[in-house]
C-alpha cells in the first residue's frame, strides 16, 4: 500500500517551454504533498509543501511564479515548470503523507528527470 | 532549528561486512526519525523508522535505534550484500510545519562482491 505515482519519469524539452509533472497517490488520500529537487549526488531540497484546496507554501529562494503547484484533489498534485531553461534541468521528486501525523513516513514517487535543451 | 547530519560517503565495503552509517540530528520538540534508501534513477523508499526515544526500527536486516541522549539514529547491518548498494538518507519529521521532512546529505554505499 501507500503507492505514489509520478509522471512522466523523464522529459526532454526545448528552452522556453512549460512542463507539467503529476504526482498521484494511488491507494490513499494525501492532504499534504511535497515537491523536492535533487541535484546530482546531492540531497533532496524541499521546494514547496502542497496542501489540498489551498495555496502551496514555498521554501525560501524558490520562485513561486516559476514553479507552479496545484493540489486540486486529495490524490493529485502537479508541478509546472514555466518557461523552463537549462538551469531548471534536475531530478524532481514528489512525496505524500497519508495524514498530517509526523510519525508517519512520507511516500515518494520515482522521480522525474527533466532535461532542458 | 531542525537539521540532520550524516557521515560523508562513499562507503565501500566487501560483501558480508558490517555496516554503520552515522546520523545525528538537531530538532525542536520530539521528532520522528527515518532512514530512506534511493537506488540509481529512482525515488526514495522508506527503509525503517522510529517515533520515540529508545525505539528500534528494523527492516531487511537493517536496524537503527533512536538515541535521545546522543541525538543519534545510526544505521547498521550485520552483513551487507551487493544489492544493498544505494544512497541512504537519514531524515527527521516534527509535529510542526505540515509534517515537513529534513533530510541528511545522503551516504552512498558501494558493496563489492
Amino acid at each position: 500500500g501507500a503507492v505514489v505515482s509520478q509522471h512522466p519519469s523523464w522529459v526532454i524539452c526545448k528552452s522556453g517551454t512549460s512542463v507539467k509533472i503529476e504526482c498521484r497517490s494511488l491507494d490513499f488520500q494525501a492532504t499534504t504533498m511535497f515537491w523536492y529537487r535533487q541535484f546530482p549526488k546531492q540531497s533532496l531540497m524541499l521546494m514547496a509543501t502542497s496542501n489540498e484546496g489551498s495555496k502551496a507554501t514555498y521554501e525560501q529562494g524558490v520562485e513561486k511564479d516559476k514553479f507552479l503547484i496545484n493540489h486540486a484533489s486529495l490524490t493529485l498534485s502537479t508541478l509546472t515548470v514555466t518557461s523552463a531553461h537549462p538551469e531548471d534541468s534536475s531530478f524532481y521528486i514528489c512525496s505524500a503523507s497519508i495524514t498530517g501525523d509526523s510519525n508517519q513516513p512520507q511516500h515518494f514517487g520515482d522521480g522525474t528527470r527533466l532535461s532542458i535543451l | 532549528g531542525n537539521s540532520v547530519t550524516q557521515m560523508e560517503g562513499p562507503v565501500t565495503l566487501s560483501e558480508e561486512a558490517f555496516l554503520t552509517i552515522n546520523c545525528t540530528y538537531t530538532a525542536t520538540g520530539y521528532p520522528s526519525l527515518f532512514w530512506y534508501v534511493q537506488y540509481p534513477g529512482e525515488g526514495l523508499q522508506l527503509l525503517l523508522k522510529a517515533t520515540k526515544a529508545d525505539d528500534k526500527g528494523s527492516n531487511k536486516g537493517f536496524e537503527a535505534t533512536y538515541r535521545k541522549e546522543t541525538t543519534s539514529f545510526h544505521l547498521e547491518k550485520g552483513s551487507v550484500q551487493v544489492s544493498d548498494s544505494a544512497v541512504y538518507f537519514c531524515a527527521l519529521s516534527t509535529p510542526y510545519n505540515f509534517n515537513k521532512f529534513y533530510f541528511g546529505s545522503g551516504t552512498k554505499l558501494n558493496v563489492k562482491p
Side-chain angles (χ1 to χ4, degrees):
Chain A
V3 177
V4 175
S5 173
Q6 201 171 326
H7 178 81
S9 57
W10 200 322
V11 58
I12 302 174
C13 60
K14 294 181 179 180
S15 184
T17 58
S18 293
V19 179
K20 180 184 283 188
I21 303 170
E22 293 187 347
C23 180
R24 293 181 185 272
S25 55
L26 297 186
D27 50 3
F28 66 98
Q29 292 185 330
T31 54
T32 305
M33 290 185 173
F34 302 85
W35 288 97
Y36 297 85
R37 183 172 180 176
Q38 186 178 32
F39 294 98
K41 300 182 181 181
Q42 293 188 27
S43 188
L44 284 72
M45 180 191 79
L46 179 65
M47 298 174 66
T49 302
S50 169
N51 293 290
E52 187 266 337
S54 64
K55 290 184 179 180
T57 302
Y58 289 82
E59 294 299 301
Q60 192 172 9
V62 178
E63 299 176 60
K64 58 183 67 176
D65 294 332
K66 174 76 167 175
F67 299 99
L68 300 178
I69 291 172
N70 183 275
H71 193 157
S73 77
L74 286 171
T75 59
L76 173 64
S77 176
T78 60
L79 168 68
T80 301
V81 183
T82 62
S83 187
H85 289 91
E87 59 266 27
D88 299 322
S89 299
S90 193
F91 193 54
Y92 293 87
I93 306 176
C94 72
S95 70
S97 293
I98 295 177
T99 69
D101 184 352
S102 66
N103 290 334
Q104 296 301 315
Q106 290 187 15
H107 302 279
F108 287 82
D110 282 339
T112 297
R113 186 160 303 284
L114 175 62
S115 296
I116 308 298
L117 304 177
Chain B
N2 300 313
S3 67
V4 176
T5 302
Q6 277 181 247
M7 62 186 290
E8 287 196 21
V11 173
T12 301
L13 296 172
S14 297
E15 205 164 23
E16 299 184 1
F18 184 86
L19 168 71
T20 299
I21 300 178
N22 290 337
C23 170
T24 56
Y25 68 90
T26 303
T28 304
Y30 302 95
S32 295
L33 302 173
F34 305 85
W35 276 101
Y36 283 85
V37 57
Q38 184 180 33
Y39 298 99
E42 298 183 11
L44 274 68
Q45 300 174 27
L46 176 67
L47 183 59
L48 53 85
K49 70 172 186 176
T51 59
K52 60 183 187 296
D54 300 325
D55 268 3
K56 177 186 281 188
S58 61
N59 184 27
K60 299 181 182 179
F62 290 90
E63 291 183 341
T65 302
Y66 188 143
R67 302 280 188 204
K68 191 165 183 283
E69 63 276 13
T70 54
T71 62
S72 65
F73 193 54
H74 305 321
L75 182 68
E76 297 182 336
K77 187 175 185 182
S79 176
V80 294
Q81 305 299 313
V82 173
S83 57
D84 293 327
S85 298
V87 180
Y88 292 81
F89 291 94
C90 186
L92 71 82
S93 174
T94 69
Y96 315 105
N97 293 335
F98 306 103
N99 194 24
K100 182 175 172 179
F101 268 49
Y102 298 83
F103 285 90
S105 56
T107 302
K108 182 167 183 170
L109 171 65
N110 295 316
V111 180
K112 298 187 174 182

